Amino acid sequence: MSVHRWKSFYEDEDRPEKPRTYGVTEMRGPHYTLLSQNLLQDIFESMGHFVDGLKFSGGSHSLMPKTYIKEVTDMAHKHNVYVSTGEWAEHLLQKGPSSFKEYIEECKQLGFDTIELNVGSLGIPEETLLRFIRLIKSGGLKAKPQFAVKFNKSDIPVARDRAFGAYVVPVPRTSEIVEDVDLLIKRAERCLEAGADMIMIDADDVCKYADSVRADIIAKVIGRLGLEKTMFEASNGKTSEWFINQYGPKVNLFVDHSQVMDLECLRGRNLGHDHTSVLGSSYFLF
């Protein structure tokens, strides 16, 4: 059996110690795959240096006992891994305006560090979204809005000549979905101005498949928002490789737990396609 050592962060200026502000690897937690505490413990102990964040995808934490969630968040924090709620806030709006403040407080008690807001699913006015971000920040947590590149056509502002403060007749809702990367960027910029810590870009229609990555959209988003303020979902190893090849090890990616090791190898891509070349002599490869 071969024995290898991972290249130390100190050997590569692009990989600083945690907590990192760039080159962030956020790992998908329970929901798509059911991860036991033992498996999570194994991942953190063997790959904890490479994992920056753990995300409870799909609002899965709402179906779990609070004691289990607290045990998981405590375990993550011991390995300097932040924990994100994933997408669930939109389901709380049915309970009334005060429910969001209660949600923030509950997230704090359970040990979450970041609250993610799926802007498309929330379906709320922009001012309400910005207010939610400010509430999250005032509650001591981090805010991460998630944007898609496609919008309902009725949500896209239409230029009109009107006096300031004049009443504008609401545009009827339609079923037409259109692509508008400029609107995505403008809304994301306003979220960052309101205090959002990072912008998550939905993989759908942008980077879900490696053979159909929208390089034009990604370049425009990163060019306007900055590499450190954006995170992209890499649904498979080929997509991760595309991002690393295009933007280097500093790009922030959200991946499945099974891709963490490969992604860290890719972040050392200066040594070529032979990913084992970034390994040294004291790490086991099973």
Side-chain angles (χ1 to χ4, degrees):
M1 181 181 293
S2 299
V3 179
H4 301 276
R5 182 184 67 83
W6 279 95
K7 182 172 63 174
S8 166
F9 292 125
Y10 295 113
E11 298 171 29
D12 189 344
E13 62 181 3
D14 286 331
R15 298 301 288 149
E17 288 283 3
K18 296 192 297 183
R20 288 182 274 267
T21 57
Y22 56 82
V24 172
T25 296
E26 185 171 288
M27 182 183 81
R28 178 181 291 113
H31 173 53
Y32 295 105
T33 54
L34 182 60
L35 301 184
S36 68
Q37 285 191 50
N38 289 337
L39 180 53
L40 282 172
Q41 182 70 30
D42 289 342
I43 292 172
F44 290 148
E45 289 182 353
S46 62
M47 299 183 287
H49 286 301
F50 316 138
V51 179
D52 297 273
L54 173 69
K55 176 178 174 178
F56 278 69
S57 294
S60 55
H61 62 281
S62 65
L63 304 176
M64 299 176 182
K66 293 183 179 180
T67 53
Y68 172 82
I69 297 173
K70 191 64 171 66
E71 289 171 359
V72 170
T73 57
D74 287 345
M75 183 194 307
H77 292 155
K78 287 179 181 178
H79 294 273
N80 202 12
V81 173
Y82 70 80
V83 188
S84 172
T85 60
E87 308 161 15
W88 186 246
E90 55 266 30
H91 297 278
L92 300 170
L93 299 182
Q94 303 171 2
K95 299 180 181 180
S98 64
S99 62
F100 195 76
K101 289 184 178 180
E102 296 171 1
Y103 177 60
I104 295 172
E105 187 57 36
E106 183 179 48
C107 287
K108 288 180 64 176
Q109 293 174 1
L110 292 175
F112 286 102
D113 306 284
T114 300
I115 292 181
E116 190 166 301
L117 301 170
N118 189 319
V119 177
S121 299
L122 280 169
I124 54 176
E126 186 176 75
E127 284 305 314
T128 303
L129 172 64
L130 300 180
R131 182 169 64 86
F132 282 176
I133 291 172
R134 296 186 189 103
L135 285 173
I136 293 170
K137 297 299 293 182
S138 64
L141 300 180
K142 293 185 176 182
K144 184 168 67 171
Q146 176 177 335
F147 283 91
V149 73
K150 290 188 176 180
F151 299 85
N152 188 295
K153 188 175 182 179
S154 56
D155 291 334
I156 298 177
V158 179
R160 293 189 179 94
D161 293 326
R162 64 184 181 90
F164 178 76
Y167 175 74
V168 176
V169 178
V171 178
R173 298 292 294 177
T174 70
S175 58
E176 185 178 354
I177 304 298
V178 296
E179 180 181 293
D180 194 329
V181 65
D182 289 318
L183 180 60
L184 182 161
I185 291 171
K186 288 177 183 177
R187 290 189 172 178
E189 286 175 333
R190 286 193 279 267
C191 287
L192 291 172
E193 290 170 0
D197 297 272
M198 188 173 289
I199 302 297
M200 181 77 182
I201 304 299
D202 197 318
D204 290 345
D205 303 306
V206 177
C207 54
K208 192 169 186 176
Y209 305 105
D211 58 355
S212 59
V213 170
R214 291 293 303 276
D216 55 332
I217 291 176
I218 294 170
K220 198 167 187 177
V221 169
I222 291 177
R224 291 275 295 277
L225 303 181
L227 203 60
E228 292 187 15
K229 291 296 184 180
T230 51
M231 177 175 286
F232 296 88
E233 179 178 1
S235 54
N236 54 65
K238 289 185 177 180
T239 306
S240 295
E241 187 168 5
W242 184 91
F243 274 106
I244 300 298
N245 286 337
Q246 294 294 317
Y247 294 100
K250 293 185 178 182
V251 66
N252 303 316
L253 295 176
F254 169 55
V255 300
D256 187 75
H257 73 277
S258 62
Q259 300 174 30
V260 170
M261 189 76 79
D262 288 341
L263 175 55
E264 194 63 25
C265 286
L266 288 168
R267 291 195 191 277
R269 67 185 180 85
N270 290 337
L271 297 175
H273 291 289
D274 179 10
H275 302 324
T276 59
S277 63
V278 302
L279 300 174
S281 60
S282 69
Y283 188 88
F284 256 1
L285 283 183
F286 296 98

